[in-house]
Amino acid sequence: MAWHGIEGHDRIVEQFRRATARGRLASSFLFVGPEGVGKRSFAIRLAQAMLCDTRPEAELDPCETCPACRQVATGSHPDLHVVSKPAEKSSLPVELLIGRREYRGREGLCYEISLRPYSGKRRIAVIDDADHLFAEGANALLKTLEEPPPKSVLILLGTSPAKQLPTIRSRCQLVRFGRLTAQTVAELLLREGVLEDPARARELAEHSEGSLTRAMELTDPDLWSFRGVLLEQLTAPVLDSVHFAKTVSSFVDAAGKAAPPRRARLRQIVRFATQFYRQLLLAQSGSSLGGEDELRRLADHALASGGASGQQTVFRLERCLAVAEQIDRNANQTTLIECWLDDLAGAVG
């Protein structure tokens, strides 16, 4: 049975339950793991358990019906403060942490968590998108991390410890979240009403890399049509990077005028390429590991044609991984796509 709807992280629940029961709960945590595996949902449910009016904190079993639980669920509890990176920004604005310039130190997350708990229990703050907490924001947090207010809990959410500045990483207790199983992702797609067909849910879950967010993005039928176009280009003897860059840019632009859906579409395109090069590298290394039938077929075809060396494939795979890192840092979309495809086309072994 999942912990209050949080799937796949029962081990972490027990870690928190033991620490709380012993009175040894840390004041600052860094939750890391792939996007879309439930880190934010876990943090909010944890806050609900700590602030519940009817059940002891040590049980970590929120009733979900008392006024406090309902306020946490709706984001209106006075003792819970959550900040996230605005979609149009490349980093978490420092104003969200220490207030606007004219109100510096009198508003923002650091100010909110320093106040006495309204309920008398705890003051809890959650920083989403901590991967985008750059030097200025990290420095603004240092005093709060070094001298945490009494009865406070600060939770930062990111994807990897390596993406956090050392000053942040060293002052937080690390909590690692793993990928969800394909079965769990499929069940969530059906439970949330994203899909009605169990077979389709299982198919998308297999491609999701354990992330519900990625699985939901993959429900776009246009994306799957374009995947075929992409793989055809990647397996061709020669990649016409100039022409194909225009094709990719047009498809990404078709996702909408807003930046977030365009970035999401480009991320998925790069992931499709990454999956192909991983499969090709397995084939080149003689590995018997499985994979999607279509990718295995294309990788075997590319291997038989002698179109790339193992060194070339490693370079292309690394280039895809680097581009995936750059997409959310507000790199110019057209330039990023052109450089990426030029590098794939020009890789030499």
Side-chain angles (χ1 to χ4, degrees):
M1 181 72 68
W3 179 64
H4 291 272
I6 305 297
E7 298 281 357
H9 306 303
D10 291 347
R11 173 186 57 83
I12 299 175
V13 176
E14 288 308 311
Q15 290 176 352
F16 272 96
R17 187 171 282 136
R18 288 195 298 270
T20 305
R22 296 170 182 170
R24 301 183 62 182
L25 189 71
S27 58
S28 302
F29 296 91
L30 175 59
F31 288 5
V32 297
E35 63 173 335
V37 299
K39 299 186 298 293
R40 190 181 191 280
S41 297
F42 189 100
I44 299 302
R45 190 66 80 192
L46 184 64
Q48 196 176 52
M50 292 178 177
L51 298 172
C52 179
D53 287 333
T54 64
R55 295 181 181 174
E57 178 183 86
E59 294 181 4
L60 285 190
D61 184 27
C63 70
E64 300 187 40
T65 58
C66 70
C69 283
R70 291 199 300 270
Q71 285 179 314
V72 170
T74 60
S76 61
H77 197 290
D79 287 331
L80 175 63
H81 193 71
V82 181
V83 297
S84 302
K85 179 182 74 66
E88 71 279 5
K89 299 288 187 179
S90 62
S91 64
L92 200 68
V94 70
E95 291 78 11
L96 294 178
L97 303 176
I98 56 176
R100 293 164 292 176
R101 188 171 300 277
E102 62 271 27
Y103 299 106
R104 194 61 46 96
R106 291 176 288 153
E107 65 176 15
L109 179 139
C110 294
Y111 170 74
E112 292 289 339
I113 201 173
S114 71
L115 299 176
R116 181 177 298 178
Y118 180 83
S119 65
K121 294 184 177 180
R122 292 188 183 273
R123 201 77 169 167
I124 303 171
V126 178
I127 299 178
D128 208 348
D129 304 307
D131 288 352
H132 304 282
L133 185 65
F134 298 157
E136 185 180 14
N139 290 334
L141 272 180
L142 282 183
K143 184 176 181 181
T144 298
L145 291 173
E146 292 171 346
E147 302 175 14
K151 297 184 178 181
S152 68
V153 174
L154 176 62
I155 303 173
L156 289 81
L157 311 180
T159 58
S160 167
K163 292 185 178 181
Q164 315 305 319
L165 293 173
T167 51
I168 296 295
R169 196 168 58 235
S170 64
R171 290 167 172 80
C172 296
Q173 182 171 315
L174 188 66
V175 181
R176 296 182 182 273
F177 285 71
R179 294 179 177 182
L180 302 175
T181 65
Q183 179 181 347
T184 296
V185 173
E187 290 173 353
L188 289 171
L189 288 171
L190 296 172
R191 182 196 304 172
E192 299 295 326
V194 177
L195 294 173
E196 295 181 357
D197 180 8
R200 181 61 174 160
R202 288 193 297 272
E203 180 183 3
L204 296 191
E206 291 294 339
H207 286 273
S208 71
E209 299 180 353
S211 165
L212 180 61
T213 299
R214 293 176 189 174
M216 293 175 70
E217 292 173 353
L218 289 169
T219 58
D220 178 5
D222 292 339
L223 197 58
W224 287 96
S225 297
F226 192 81
R227 180 179 187 254
V229 176
L230 172 69
L231 294 177
E232 181 181 353
Q233 289 291 324
L234 297 183
T235 54
V238 177
L239 173 62
D240 184 352
S241 61
V242 175
H243 173 75
F244 193 51
K246 295 177 181 178
T247 302
V248 172
S249 292
S250 296
F251 180 68
V252 171
D253 287 339
K257 294 183 178 180
R262 293 202 305 270
R263 284 198 295 263
R265 179 168 279 191
L266 182 55
R267 273 196 302 268
Q268 288 293 4
I269 292 171
V270 173
R271 284 183 188 128
F272 286 150
T274 303
Q275 290 167 354
F276 167 72
Y277 287 125
R278 281 175 176 162
Q279 192 68 48
L280 178 57
L281 192 60
L282 288 173
Q284 289 171 326
S285 66
S287 173
S288 60
L289 293 176
E292 180 196 346
D293 290 344
E294 179 66 6
L295 282 184
R296 286 205 310 271
R297 183 187 69 78
L298 291 170
D300 290 342
H301 174 73
L303 183 62
S305 67
S309 67
Q311 184 177 348
Q312 286 174 309
T313 303
V314 169
F315 171 83
R316 288 166 174 157
L317 180 56
E318 290 177 342
R319 191 67 186 92
C320 291
L321 294 173
V323 169
E325 293 272 343
Q326 295 165 351
I327 288 173
D328 284 326
R329 297 192 180 276
N330 269 7
N332 179 273
Q333 174 188 299
T334 301
T335 302
L336 185 62
I337 292 172
E338 289 175 352
C339 291
W340 172 51
L341 293 176
D342 280 347
D343 287 343
L344 296 187
V348 294

